[in-house]
C-alpha cells in the first residue's frame, strides 16, 4: 500500500496500528510460557482475524488456531492454517455443507453441547467423504453454552463416537468467568476448580473407553494459572499477543501493543478535548480507551464519530491538530471495526494487513 514507509505522525487518522516490536516480543513470551508449561498453544483468532499474524503464531510454536465462527475458519484455511478448532456449535444444513468442504482443506474440529445436530452433521460429512472432529463443550462456570461436567459429558461423547462421519477428539471449556483482577483471591481457586471439572470429565471419558486426546481451555485472562494445571493439553490464549486495557486489568503481563492513532479536532474547554474517533472506531463500552502519555485523564467518552477526553485539571499543552494514541480498551470489540491493521516499527509503517476475518459472522 502507499503508506508503507510513511511515518506514523503523517498518517491520516483515525488509524488502528500495532507496535511490531511489542507484538513479536509478546508472541515469543506467550509461546515460551506455554512451552515451559508443557502444553500446546492453539490461540483464539477472534480478536486477530489476520492470517498473516496466524502464520506468525504458527512459526512461534502454535499447533493451529481457535476460531469463533465457521467463516473465520474458512479465512484461516485459505490463509494456510491446517489445524482448526471452531469453538462454537455449528448448526444448520448450509453450515454442515461448508464444514464438510472445509474438512478437505484442514483438520477441523467443532464444539457440540447436545446430540441435536449429530445425525445431520455426521450424514453430511459421510456423504462428502470426510470426517469431522468433535469436542464436547462443558459449562464449568461461564453459564453460556456447554453441558454440565461429569457423566453428561461421557453420555454425549459416546453418542458422538457412535455417529458415522464424526470423530470424538476430546473436551473443551472456557473458564472466562474467572477473568478478574489478578490480585483477587477468588480467581486462582476458581480457575483450578473449573479446569479440574474439565480434566475430570476427560478422565471419565477415557475410563469409558472413549479416545479423549484433547483437553482444551484457557485464555489470555487465565494465562497465569491454567497452563500449569495437570491434565490440560492445549491453551487458547490469543489476545495476550496484543494486550489492551482490559487484559492488563486481568493480569496479562505482556506489553500493550495495539492502539488507535487520532487527531485532536477541538479544545472547547481547558479540561476537555475532542478527537476524531468515536465508538465506530474505538469503543468504550467494554473498558475505557486510554490516551498514551497524557496526564490527569479523568474519563474518555465515545459518541458515534467523536471521542471526548476530560481532565481532572486544566490542560493547556495539547492543541487542535495534535496527534494522540489511544490504547485500545478491548481488542475483541475494536479490531473487527477496521479494514486494515498498520504494523509500525520505530515510528514508520512497515506493513499494512487487511483484516480478512472481519464480517465473517456465519
Amino acid at each position: 500500500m502507499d503508506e508503507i514507509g510513511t511515518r506514523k505522525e503523517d498518517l491520516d487518522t483515525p488509524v488502528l496500528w500495532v507496535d511490531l516490536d511489542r507484538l513479536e516480543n509478546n508472541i515469543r513470551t506467550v509461546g515460551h510460557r506455554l512451552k515451559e508449561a508443557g502444553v500446546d498453544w492453539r490461540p483464539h483468532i477472534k480478536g486477530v482475524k489476520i492470517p498473516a499474524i496466524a502464520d506468525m503464531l504458527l512459526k512461534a510454536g502454535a499447533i493451529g488456531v481457535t476460531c469463533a465462527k465457521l467463516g473465520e475458519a474458512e479465512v484461516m484455511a485459505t490463509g494456510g492454517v491446517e489445524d482448526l478448532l471452531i469453538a462454537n456449535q455449528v448448526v444448520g444444513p448450509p453450515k454442515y455443507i461448508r464444514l464438510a468442504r472445509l474438512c478437505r482443506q484442514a483438520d477441523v474440529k467443532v464444539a457440540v453441547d447436545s446430540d441435536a445436530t449429530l445425525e445431520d452433521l455426521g450424514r453430511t460429512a459421510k456423504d462428502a467423504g470426510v470426517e469431522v472432529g468433535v469436542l464436547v463443550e462443558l459449562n464449568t462456570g461461564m453459564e453460556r453454552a456447554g453441558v454440565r461436567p461429569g457423566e453428561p459429558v461421557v453420555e454425549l461423547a459416546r453418542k458422538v463416537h457412535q455417529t458415522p462421519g464424526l470423530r470424538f477428539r476430546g473436551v473443551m471449556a472456557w473458564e472466562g468467568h474467572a477473568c478478574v483482577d489478578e490480585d483477587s483471591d477468588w480467581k486462582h481457586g476458581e480457575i483450578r476448580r473449573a479446569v479440574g471439572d474439565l480434566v475430570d470429565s476427560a478422565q471419565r471419558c477415557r475410563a469409558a473407553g472413549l479416545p479423549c486426546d484433547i483437553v482444551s481451555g484457557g485464555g489470555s485472562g487465565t494465562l497465569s494459572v491454567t497452563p500449569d494445571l495437570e491434565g490440560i493439553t492445549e491453551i487458547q490464549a490469543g489476545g495476550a499477543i496484543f494486550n489492551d486495557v482490559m487484559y492488563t486489568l486481568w493480569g496479562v503481563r505482556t506489553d500493550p501493543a495495539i492502539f488507535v492513532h487520532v487527531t485532536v479536532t477541538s479544545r472547547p474547554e481547558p479540561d476537555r478535548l475532542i478527537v476524531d474517533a468515536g465508538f465506530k472506531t474505538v469503543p468504550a463500552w467494554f473498558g475505557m480507551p486510554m490516551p498514551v502519555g497524557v496526564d490527569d485523564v479523568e474519563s474518555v467518552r465515545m459518541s458515534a464519530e467523536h471521542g471526548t477526553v476530560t481532565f481532572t485539571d486544566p490542560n493547556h499543552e495539547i492543541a487542535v491538530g495534535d496527534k494522540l494514541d489511544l490504547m485500545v480498551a478491548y481488542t475483541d470489540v475494536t479490531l473487527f471495526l477496521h479494514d486494515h491493521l498498520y504494523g509500525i516499527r520505530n515510528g514508520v509503517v512497515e506493513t499494512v494487513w487487511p483484516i480478512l476475518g472481519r464480517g465473517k459472522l456465519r
Side-chain angles (χ1 to χ4, degrees):
M1 296 183 69
D2 292 342
E3 293 98 335
I4 301 295
T6 303
R7 296 183 306 169
K8 184 183 71 172
E9 58 264 33
D10 293 332
L11 290 172
D12 198 7
T13 60
V15 61
L16 181 71
W17 71 279
V18 64
D19 184 309
L20 290 174
D21 286 332
R22 290 188 175 191
L23 173 64
E24 291 164 2
N25 185 62
N26 289 346
I27 291 172
R28 286 191 295 268
T29 297
V30 177
H32 179 74
R33 163 81 174 102
L34 299 181
K35 183 178 181 180
E36 287 288 298
V39 294
D40 290 328
W41 187 18
R42 188 187 296 280
H44 213 307
I45 216 76
K46 63 182 170 60
V48 178
K49 299 187 183 295
I50 298 170
I53 296 181
D55 184 63
M56 294 171 65
L57 298 170
L58 294 172
K59 289 177 179 175
I63 62 169
V65 301
T66 305
C67 302
K69 292 293 184 76
L70 177 57
E72 272 184 2
E74 290 168 334
V75 168
M76 291 298 143
T78 300
V81 182
E82 297 179 349
D83 194 331
L84 301 162
L85 168 61
I86 303 169
N88 274 312
Q89 290 68 39
V90 173
V91 180
K95 289 187 174 64
Y96 301 151
I97 294 169
R98 289 166 55 202
L99 179 60
R101 290 173 181 164
L102 186 61
C103 287
R104 297 194 183 105
Q105 293 179 257
D107 176 2
V108 186
K109 294 154 284 289
V110 298
V112 302
D113 66 353
S114 78
D115 60 6
T117 63
L118 299 185
E119 183 178 353
D120 289 341
L121 180 57
R123 183 188 307 112
T124 304
K126 188 177 179 183
D127 289 347
V130 299
E131 189 175 58
V132 175
V134 173
L135 302 187
V136 171
E137 182 177 5
L138 281 68
N139 175 11
T140 58
M142 273 286 283
E143 302 303 329
R144 198 167 60 184
V147 299
R148 293 293 176 184
E151 288 308 308
V153 178
V154 179
E155 180 181 352
L156 181 54
R158 186 176 290 113
K159 290 179 180 179
V160 173
H161 185 65
Q162 294 170 346
T163 302
L166 305 183
R167 180 185 173 197
F168 175 62
R169 300 291 303 275
V171 295
M172 61 158 280
W174 167 221
E175 67 283 5
H177 62 290
C179 284
V180 296
D181 189 328
E182 184 65 16
D183 294 330
S184 165
D185 292 335
W186 174 83
K187 176 175 184 171
H188 289 209
E190 179 61 15
I191 293 171
R192 290 187 174 90
R193 182 208 61 77
V195 175
D197 284 347
L198 176 65
V199 172
D200 175 71
S201 297
Q203 292 171 337
R204 288 172 183 250
C205 289
R206 295 179 189 122
L210 298 168
C212 186
D213 299 326
I214 298 173
V215 182
S216 186
S220 295
T222 63
L223 193 59
S224 62
V225 180
T226 303
D228 300 317
L229 300 180
E230 185 175 354
I232 199 88
T233 68
E234 63 180 40
I235 299 294
Q236 296 180 14
I241 69 168
F242 288 138
N243 207 341
D244 51 41
V245 172
M246 292 308 302
Y247 281 126
T248 300
L249 291 174
W250 290 335
V252 175
R253 295 298 178 245
T254 51
D255 293 323
I258 191 164
F259 310 91
V260 174
H261 199 49
V262 299
T263 299
V264 177
T265 57
S266 176
R267 287 303 319 265
E269 300 290 345
D271 65 347
R272 184 167 75 250
L273 65 78
I274 312 300
V275 299
D276 61 348
F279 63 67
K280 295 180 182 179
T281 303
V282 54
W285 60 265
F286 200 103
M288 185 173 75
M290 292 299 297
V292 177
V294 178
D295 295 329
D296 302 322
V297 174
E298 181 177 53
S299 67
V300 180
R301 294 183 293 107
M302 293 293 168
S303 50
E305 308 291 355
H306 303 88
T308 302
V309 179
T310 56
F311 299 97
T312 55
D313 294 304
N315 181 299
H316 300 285
E317 299 175 356
I318 301 173
V320 170
D322 285 350
K323 303 285 186 70
L324 302 175
D325 284 315
L326 302 180
M327 178 179 166
V328 167
Y330 188 44
T331 307
D332 286 15
V333 301
T334 304
L335 185 136
F336 78 97
L337 298 171
H338 297 258
D339 292 320
H340 297 91
L341 175 64
Y342 287 67
I344 294 178
R345 195 187 310 273
N346 298 324
V348 176
V349 177
E350 184 173 301
T351 188
V352 181
W353 288 305
I355 302 174
L356 298 176
R358 69 166 302 203
K360 304 301 181 183
L361 306 178
R362 293 186 287 183

